[in-house]
Amino acid sequence: MSEISASATNRNDAAALRERSRLSFDLDVDICVVGAGLAGLTVALEAARLGASVAVLEGRHVGWNASGHQLGTVMPGYSLPIGDLIARIGFEDTRELWSLSKQGAEYVRANATEELIPGIALSEGALEVSNVDVGDQLISRLQMLGEDFETEVEGWQVDRVRDQLRTDRYFHGVYYPRAFQIDGRKYLHGLAALAKRAGARIFEDTPVVSIDPSGIRKRIVTPSARLRASHIVLAGNIHLGAPLQRLSETLLPVWRYAAVTAPLGERLAEVMTFQGSVTDSDGIDHFRIVEGDRLMWASPETTWAARPERFAGAIARRIRTVFPRLGKVDIAEVWGGAVGQTVHGMPQIGQLRRGLWVASGFGRQGLNTSAMAGQLIARSILWGDERWRLFSPFELVWAGGPTGRVAGHVVGIWGRAGSAAAGALARYRERARVREGIREARLVEANRQAGTRPPQRRPPPGRPRPERRRPPVAANPEGDGG
Ligand SMILES: Cc1cc2nc3c(=O)[nH]c(=O)nc-3n(C[C@H](O)[C@H](O)[C@H](O)COP(=O)(O)OP(=O)(O)OC[C@H]3O[C@@H](n4cnc5c(N)ncnc54)[C@H](O)[C@@H]3O)c2cc1C
């Protein structure tokens, strides 16, 4: 398990590891779920709550990959930006999909209570900050989210953002008061416990090696047992492999790494007072304060599996780049997990053939979207809910195998480099504007003292010069000359 640190594994619920049980006898169920990540466990919980007999088969252990290593931020929406979604499927369908994504977030909230999952530590509010100075775009985005997509949002001016995050890296912000964060690992293991309580059976160390989805009763083969089920739900993300290799190949695996710092004491409060999750508009950084004075921070990505420990230095440097006033930070723990990204950026949710379902490709935003997928699929199987068809425009597109992965990394770096350049340009322009303001004020003052008129203002660097206006042509050019 090269992509997950040993220390991260140690932090997994010891109880959950003890209870691990491998499937060693044949079984007949209504629904067989492949994969015990967020997606598979939500399908299992919902289907069991609705009365189906459910078996979850997990090749390693519950939350082994991304689901056990996420940061616990629950936001509305998808990995694909809302503007791109509208361009692809139109306004009305985007509204429907957006509304489903909000329902996914509310589903997590309904389960993430202290009564159902003790220690879940839910706290409210997340801030999306812009790496570039685009205040004008912010207003239209707020209008769209608030009015057209009925999502509670607040626009934060640069001053307000920088009052709570003392860095010149970020400009405006969109605050989501209904977004929230939870202890991500507790949620994952809590889901497993809730699913078991509802009657689902979870088998670990039980990889599915092949499936035969033809016929009414489908066959599932594991190394030490066989199952028969009316429905199979493939929730194996990028590791699905042999049972449906071609499906795995529609995902571009991206390994994302995260760390938690050692306690930073009072210096953390000097650079950051915002208590919710912060994500930047380019998807580079994602962080929040945990345990009062530590930072939990996700940033680097690769398209190959690497040892997370290798990225401790990179994450520490990234934190210092964003918050130089923090000084040196020590990293206490690093971990990582692989997310599956689709070519179009939207998750794969739906029925591949009668009784064969897929819930995958949730990318970086898997908490609300996998919750929604779990609900949609369980309700479709048991109640005939057909809303999963809203995802039909996002077909299964081959992600290019190893070549695609290399290309993906290049595109990733290119995107990030582009974002970094845009951010640097925005900061440069801002500094130039400040310098220009000071210069102009000095000039006005000097002219006032000298009793002369200031010369025409020059535009600051990076801004287009205003077009020179012609003087209005008088109706009577020979007029009185006023
Ligand atoms: C560092 C990091 C931080 C993140 N932070 C956030 C966040 O704050 N908010 C958010 O919304 N999202 C976040 N994400 C994304 C989120 O974690 C993922 O989108 C989500 O966990 C995907 O869930 P999944 O169930 O599809 O996949 P997985 O977690 O990969 O689960 C799939 C499971 O299926 C099993 N499996 C695969 N094939 C087989 C087989 N053949 N037989 C049996 N079992 C099989 C695997 O072993 C695995 O356990 C983060 C991700 C990372 C890596």
Side-chain angles (χ1 to χ4, degrees):
M1 43 184 268
S2 61
E3 67 266 37
I4 294 164
S5 73
S7 51
T9 306
N10 291 341
R11 294 210 310 165
N12 279 335
D13 254 355
L17 293 180
R18 270 201 309 279
E19 281 173 19
R20 239 190 257 182
S21 64
R22 164 187 283 222
L23 180 64
S24 53
F25 48 90
D26 291 354
L27 203 59
D28 252 45
V29 287
D30 296 328
I31 302 173
C32 170
V33 180
V34 182
L38 285 167
L41 291 172
T42 314
V43 175
L45 171 59
E46 274 310 288
R49 277 178 176 165
L50 297 180
S53 63
V54 184
V56 182
L57 306 185
E58 165 56 50
R60 316 239 183 168
H61 61 81
V62 167
W64 166 76
N65 183 35
S67 299
H69 299 88
Q70 27 83 18
L71 266 52
T73 306
V74 188
M75 308 261 300
Y78 301 88
S79 294
L80 188 68
I82 197 165
D84 296 359
L85 204 48
I86 296 173
R88 169 108 198 210
I89 56 167
F91 186 77
E92 283 310 320
D93 284 353
T94 302
R95 261 171 64 92
E96 300 256 5
L97 284 180
W98 187 266
S99 159
L100 284 177
S101 83
K102 286 200 305 179
Q103 287 170 33
E106 289 310 314
Y107 177 88
V108 177
R109 184 188 283 278
N111 284 323
T113 62
E114 286 296 330
E115 296 75 52
L116 292 177
I117 306 180
I120 192 70
L122 187 149
S123 64
E124 305 282 349
L127 185 63
E128 187 187 283
V129 287
S130 174
N131 303 64
V132 287
D133 191 4
V134 283
D136 44 344
Q137 284 177 27
L138 179 81
I139 294 164
S140 52
R141 186 167 156 75
L142 286 174
Q143 269 170 353
M144 184 166 73
L145 286 171
E147 289 166 23
D148 302 328
F149 291 88
E150 291 157 17
T151 303
E152 253 181 84
V153 277
E154 278 173 24
W156 283 19
Q157 296 297 342
V158 184
D159 292 352
R160 186 158 178 201
V161 169
R162 293 186 180 177
D163 183 51
Q164 304 221 14
L165 304 171
R166 302 214 175 101
T167 172
D168 66 357
R169 299 239 128 202
Y170 301 140
F171 293 82
H172 300 84
V174 177
Y175 177 63
Y176 294 80
R178 291 283 302 165
F180 55 96
Q181 41 276 316
I182 49 180
D183 182 320
R185 288 172 195 175
K186 286 229 165 79
Y187 181 70
L188 194 269
H189 290 288
L191 263 188
L194 290 175
K196 280 189 197 168
R197 219 181 294 160
R201 302 171 76 176
I202 301 173
F203 299 97
E204 298 178 288
D205 290 329
T206 305
V208 172
V209 290
S210 72
I211 57 172
D212 176 1
S214 56
I216 304 273
R217 298 290 289 164
K218 288 137 194 0
R219 294 159 209 273
I220 302 103
V221 178
T222 76
S224 47
R226 284 164 191 272
L227 267 89
R228 283 159 65 89
S230 305
H231 295 266
I232 302 176
V233 183
L234 301 172
N237 195 6
I238 63 146
H239 296 103
L240 182 66
L244 206 53
Q245 189 61 41
R246 275 168 54 212
L247 185 61
S248 306
E249 286 168 2
T250 60
L251 291 177
L252 179 72
V254 176
W255 279 263
R256 190 157 171 79
Y257 305 93
V260 67
T261 66
L264 297 168
E266 284 174 8
R267 56 197 174 120
L268 181 56
E270 283 163 23
V271 299
M272 176 168 174
T273 49
F274 185 71
Q275 296 296 318
S277 297
V278 180
T279 55
D280 71 20
S281 51
D282 294 324
I284 297 174
D285 297 309
H286 173 187
F287 55 92
R288 68 182 163 108
I289 295 175
V290 290
E291 295 166 29
D293 67 346
R294 292 171 187 252
L295 269 176
M296 184 157 71
W297 195 290
S299 186
E301 288 181 351
T302 57
T303 47
W304 58 88
R307 284 186 31 249
E309 289 79 358
R310 277 182 48 195
F311 296 93
I315 296 177
R317 282 195 296 281
R318 185 70 200 158
I319 295 174
R320 275 189 77 169
T321 305
V322 174
F323 293 117
R325 283 168 56 189
L326 255 186
K328 186 174 177 301
V329 293
D330 289 326
I331 299 295
E333 189 182 322
V334 199
W335 64 90
V339 299
Q341 242 150 246
T342 55
V343 170
H344 41 62
M346 286 295 281
Q348 300 168 333
I349 300 172
Q351 194 169 202
L352 298 174
R353 59 185 290 172
R354 205 177 160 77
L356 182 64
W357 299 82
V358 59
S360 219
F362 300 103
R364 291 189 198 128
Q365 197 163 336
L367 270 157
N368 68 321
T369 50
S370 65
M372 170 199 63
Q375 262 186 313
L376 282 181
I377 292 176
R379 287 179 186 194
S380 181
I381 293 174
L382 294 150
W383 286 356
D385 182 340
E386 293 283 280
R387 283 176 304 164
W388 61 266
R389 289 188 192 279
L390 280 164
F391 289 87
S392 307
F394 305 100
E395 65 286 350
L396 302 173
V397 186
W398 182 61
T403 336
R405 286 169 203 182
V406 174
H409 187 62
V410 172
V411 169
I413 286 178
W414 180 82
R416 280 161 171 247
S419 307
L425 184 63
R427 286 192 297 283
Y428 166 73
R429 282 180 177 158
E430 188 189 42
R431 280 197 300 273
R433 273 203 294 280
V434 170
R435 276 200 306 274
E436 178 72 11
I438 295 169
R439 198 189 69 83
E440 206 173 315
R442 283 192 189 135
L443 202 62
V444 168
E445 181 54 21
N447 282 309
R448 196 186 59 77
Q449 287 179 10
T452 50
R453 277 179 53 195
Q456 187 118 39
R457 187 176 185 268
R458 268 194 308 139
R463 273 195 173 176
R465 280 165 183 270
E467 263 182 44
R468 228 186 245 165
R469 290 241 181 100
R470 287 201 190 159
V473 180
N476 173 9
E478 317 299 323
D480 61 16

